[in-house]
Amino acid sequence: MSPCPTPFLTAMLAALLLATGCAATGTPATMADRATGSVPAPDPVSSPEWANDMARFAAEDAASPPPARPVVFTGSSSVRLWTTLAGDFPDRPVLNRGFGGSHIRDAVHYADEVAIRYRPSRILIYAGDNDTMDGRSPRQVLADFQAFVARVHRDLPGTPIAFIAIKPSPSRAQLLQVQRASNALVRDWAARTPDVDYVDVFTPMLGADGQPRPELFAEDALHMNAQGYALWRGIIAPYLR
């Protein structure tokens, strides 16, 4: 019969396994996920009401077929309320598939409906704003975005995906540090990940005092006004060239 391992040996083996696992992953996605192409299951959707938005998108597609190979914008209300999107990027076929109030994990669940079915030339997602407001941590924001990328690239490998940084807003100024940390994790991961980009709208939306610029926002101090969207247009346009 083999001798039982000593407590010291057991502890050393456990520490080695932990260190090996941490070094191998480096991110919330596991090596097995990356090797097999599987998509880590995100948390449940943040609201069952998104099914209504998916039905609306299907009805819009039936009434007016979307352009071939569009640039898809998806995510939460900052995308949904971007009513001038097509006019702001007249040289590119763009498609707005934002659903207000959503989290990143909702875009994972509904990736087919908001992105994959259109076989887009590229995807830009703005989400994370509501996530952090509802208590999601920076690590969860990163993990959810990684799951979105994995879900899209499983069916559409090589499709460029850009994360539009979580914006700073006056009504959520108490979350600036969480937003900054979330953005930094996504930025750093995108910098070393093929076909993934980070679009920094966070920094230009801060004033010299380090606080959100109120002139960029509507009366609710959360959603952007025309000046805010004009700023976004100027930042995002070079990425679409």
Side-chain angles (χ1 to χ4, degrees), residues 8-180:
F8 175 76
L9 180 58
T10 300
M12 288 296 292
L13 288 172
L16 178 61
L17 288 172
L18 179 60
T20 303
C22 291
T25 58
T27 69
T30 66
M31 290 295 287
D33 293 330
R34 289 192 292 228
T36 62
S38 64
V39 179
D43 290 342
V45 293
S46 64
S47 170
E49 294 182 6
W50 308 140
N52 297 328
D53 291 90
M54 302 308 122
R56 174 171 57 85
F57 294 151
E60 290 176 0
D61 291 344
S64 178
R69 303 281 292 161
V71 175
V72 168
F73 285 72
T74 190
S76 57
S77 57
S78 291
V79 172
R80 181 178 63 84
L81 296 173
W82 198 342
T83 57
T84 61
L85 186 65
D88 285 341
F89 304 105
D91 297 331
R92 301 299 301 268
V94 298
L95 184 64
N96 189 322
R97 284 297 174 260
F99 49 119
S102 61
H103 291 201
I104 301 171
R105 66 184 189 270
D106 301 323
V108 181
H109 278 278
Y110 292 111
D112 282 313
E113 289 83 352
V114 302
I116 294 171
R117 67 192 298 177
Y118 304 109
R119 305 197 68 80
S121 60
R122 64 181 62 233
I123 300 166
L124 293 94
I125 180 170
Y126 177 79
D129 198 334
N130 299 313
D131 310 49
T132 54
M133 181 64 187
D134 291 341
R136 303 289 281 182
S137 71
R139 292 291 294 174
Q140 287 173 313
V141 168
L142 173 61
D144 290 344
F145 178 59
Q146 289 174 322
F148 179 76
V149 171
R151 177 65 189 88
V152 172
H153 283 171
R154 188 185 74 185
D155 288 4
L156 302 174
T159 301
I161 301 172
F163 182 90
I164 302 174
I166 302 172
K167 73 182 191 300
S169 58
S171 67
R172 295 180 176 176
Q174 76 278 10
L175 295 173
L176 281 176
Q177 294 307 315
V178 175
Q179 293 171 341
R180 183 177 282 109

